[in-house]
Amino acid sequence: MSEALKRDYEIGAEIGRGRFGAVFLCYSAQSGETFAVKTIDRTRLTDPTDRQLVEQEAKITLLAAVGNPHVVQIYGVYEDDSVIHLVLDLLPGPDLFDRITGREGPIPEPEAAALMAQLMEAINACHRRGIAHRDVKPDNVMFDSRGRIRLVDFGSAECFGEERAMSGVVGTPHYVAPEVLAGREYSEKVDVWSAGVILYLMLGGILPFYGETAVEIFEAVLRGNLRFPSRIFSSVSLAAKDLIRRMICRDPSRRFSADQVLRHRWIVGGGEGANLA
């Protein structure tokens, strides 16, 4: 651990682990407040792309978090030649995946609309600042002590602009957009596709694209054959299905933007069964 970090924070138990490091509890030496510290081991970053993403994670998280109550906040960055430490909000869980899978049956539409509105507010704020998250999934959607959604883990995030498209295969198999897998340049709308998959999962309790292996999942995503099995979606409103179709749209030029999702009648109406003719 960095000496500067240990001077400012008391490091506690490990609470998580990822590809490049671990997450620990930590306590401010000045106030006693509890935070999380994400420790990234630079020696594990053998791939140049991974190194670039990790090196810019702190900067992007800071940019995304300013004035955005639905993004994890960052309180300090400590680094040396071998390690990067990010001091973040402590969000002990459960995450959105736990909330979806830990109940009997799908999430009711009003609750799903409220959750999706918060998630899309976070994504829309990021997009307005030229940031694409690129790994939107339920595991990266946490809840704070007030029950508000917080989008976390900007380790795959990238900056974009009018003259700067994105490329590279990043993300998680069930949630990744087809244009990412196809090896083409793509836009921030990849986050909208991923959020659409989350909405489908919340309302149906199943994933729209699946397979026994990652390759089979990728093939299903590339086909993009979106269906609403009647035995599962018969009670889901036409408005909700309309929004899902506009989010999980194979053609990025026709896919909704984050702002359009927030203005859709199902979101504006709080998921109260507004059917479309």
Side-chain angles (χ1 to χ4, degrees):
M1 290 284 179
S2 159
E3 289 302 319
L5 174 68
K6 288 192 288 186
R7 181 185 65 237
D8 294 342
Y9 295 90
E10 178 185 345
I11 309 303
E14 181 179 317
I15 56 174
R17 182 161 288 275
R19 262 202 311 161
F20 303 124
V23 181
F24 300 86
L25 285 172
C26 68
Y27 310 90
S28 169
Q30 185 173 11
S31 69
E33 288 183 271
T34 307
F35 299 92
V37 58
K38 181 176 181 179
T39 298
I40 302 163
D41 184 351
R42 279 189 163 117
T43 63
R44 297 189 186 183
L45 304 174
T46 55
D47 183 281
T49 301
D50 288 338
R51 177 175 287 274
Q52 180 184 359
L53 290 172
V54 166
E55 295 289 349
Q56 67 187 18
E57 180 179 356
K59 180 178 73 174
I60 289 180
T61 305
L62 281 166
L63 179 59
V66 174
N68 191 342
H70 297 300
V71 166
V72 64
Q73 302 294 303
I74 185 167
Y75 299 95
V77 180
Y78 299 81
E79 56 184 314
D80 55 36
D81 291 340
S82 60
V83 182
I84 303 172
H85 304 287
L86 307 180
V87 179
L88 306 159
D89 283 316
L90 176 63
L91 302 169
D95 59 31
L96 183 55
F97 185 79
D98 293 330
R99 180 170 289 194
I100 294 169
T101 58
R103 61 190 301 155
E104 291 185 14
I107 292 178
E109 288 191 41
E111 182 181 346
L115 293 171
M116 185 54 52
Q118 292 181 63
L119 175 58
M120 294 312 301
E121 285 170 8
I123 292 172
N124 193 38
C126 290
H127 290 180
R128 287 200 307 267
R129 294 170 186 174
I131 299 167
H133 186 279
R134 300 202 302 174
D135 195 18
V136 174
K137 58 183 178 180
D139 318 56
N140 284 338
V141 180
M142 304 292 292
F143 295 91
D144 65 18
S145 59
R146 296 167 58 183
R148 297 179 304 181
I149 271 181
R150 296 290 191 97
L151 183 61
V152 306
D153 196 350
F154 284 76
S156 297
E158 182 63 277
C159 294
F160 64 89
E162 291 183 8
E163 305 297 326
R164 185 179 180 186
M166 293 174 286
S167 61
V169 178
V170 295
T172 301
H174 288 110
Y175 304 93
V176 69
E179 62 267 31
V180 175
L181 298 176
R184 304 194 301 266
E185 291 188 338
Y186 49 83
S187 75
E188 72 278 10
K189 286 185 178 181
V190 297
D191 290 341
V192 177
W193 173 286
S194 302
V197 174
I198 293 175
L199 180 55
Y200 186 104
L201 178 62
M202 284 198 290
L203 295 179
I206 62 171
L207 289 159
F209 311 110
Y210 48 87
E212 294 298 321
T213 65
V215 171
E216 289 180 2
I217 296 167
F218 291 156
E219 290 172 349
V221 170
L222 286 166
R223 286 194 298 271
N225 188 12
L226 181 63
R227 295 178 177 175
F228 296 96
S230 58
R231 63 184 175 81
I232 295 172
F233 284 90
S234 59
S235 62
V236 174
S237 70
L238 295 178
K241 289 183 231 184
D242 177 76
L243 177 56
I244 291 171
R245 287 190 186 97
R246 294 176 187 274
M247 297 173 75
I248 307 179
C249 176
R250 287 186 65 201
D251 182 352
S253 69
R254 295 175 54 239
R255 188 182 308 154
F256 263 16
S257 67
D259 184 63
Q260 286 175 306
V261 173
L262 287 168
R263 290 187 282 112
H264 188 274
R265 62 185 297 179
W266 186 78
I267 294 289
V268 173
E272 291 291 351
N275 279 321
L276 297 176

